[in-house]
């Protein structure tokens, strides 16, 4: 393993788990009014493209970190759609 691989692992780890606090907050509060669906879709698309690029390069760091990140953003989109429609609370429109 090269020293730059450690940088990639650190960056991938931070990226993989960076959205989980928001997912937990959405799940607990059921409030999504301050989130932007276009932003979620943009990040999800970008992460998907990074995943495809990692597969092309056969780079396991890119593949794993972006696969986990993609799963977290897809979960965030599902929660957004679920809580944005289901509640009539002022912050959820």
């Amino acid at each position: 393993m090269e020293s730059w691989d450690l940088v990639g692992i650190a960056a991938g780890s931070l990226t993989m788990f960076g959205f989980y606090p928001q997912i937990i907050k959405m799940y607990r509060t059921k409030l999504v009014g301050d989130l932007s669906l276009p932003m979620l879709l943009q990040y999800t698309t970008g992460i998907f493209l990074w995943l495809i690029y990692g597969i092309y390069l056969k780079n396991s760091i890119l593949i794993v970190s972006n696969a986990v990140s993609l799963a977290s953003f897809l979960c965030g989109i599902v929660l957004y759609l679920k809580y944005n429609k289901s509640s009539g609370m002022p912050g959820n429109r």
Side-chain angles (χ1 to χ4, degrees):
M1 180 181 306
E2 296 183 26
S3 59
W4 282 108
D5 288 337
L6 296 175
V7 173
I9 290 169
S13 297
L14 291 169
T15 303
M16 280 191 297
F17 302 110
F19 194 61
Y20 279 94
Q22 186 64 52
I23 291 171
I24 292 167
K25 184 177 180 181
M26 285 189 291
Y27 181 75
R28 286 183 179 163
T29 65
K30 298 180 180 29
L31 297 174
V32 296
D34 289 339
L35 289 174
S36 165
L37 183 59
M39 180 276 303
L40 290 172
L41 295 172
Q42 179 181 349
Y43 268 87
T44 302
T45 303
I47 290 167
F48 175 73
L49 293 173
W50 274 112
L51 175 61
I52 297 301
Y53 184 62
I55 292 169
Y56 169 75
L57 294 178
K58 297 179 181 152
N59 183 309
S60 60
I61 295 170
L62 286 175
I63 294 168
V64 171
S65 63
N66 285 294
V68 173
S69 296
L70 181 62
S72 70
F73 270 87
L74 290 173
C75 181
I77 289 170
V78 168
L79 290 173
Y80 179 90
L81 295 173
K82 177 180 178 180
Y83 297 135
N84 194 44
K85 289 181 177 181
S86 68
S87 177
M89 296 178 65
N92 287 349
R93 294 179 201 193

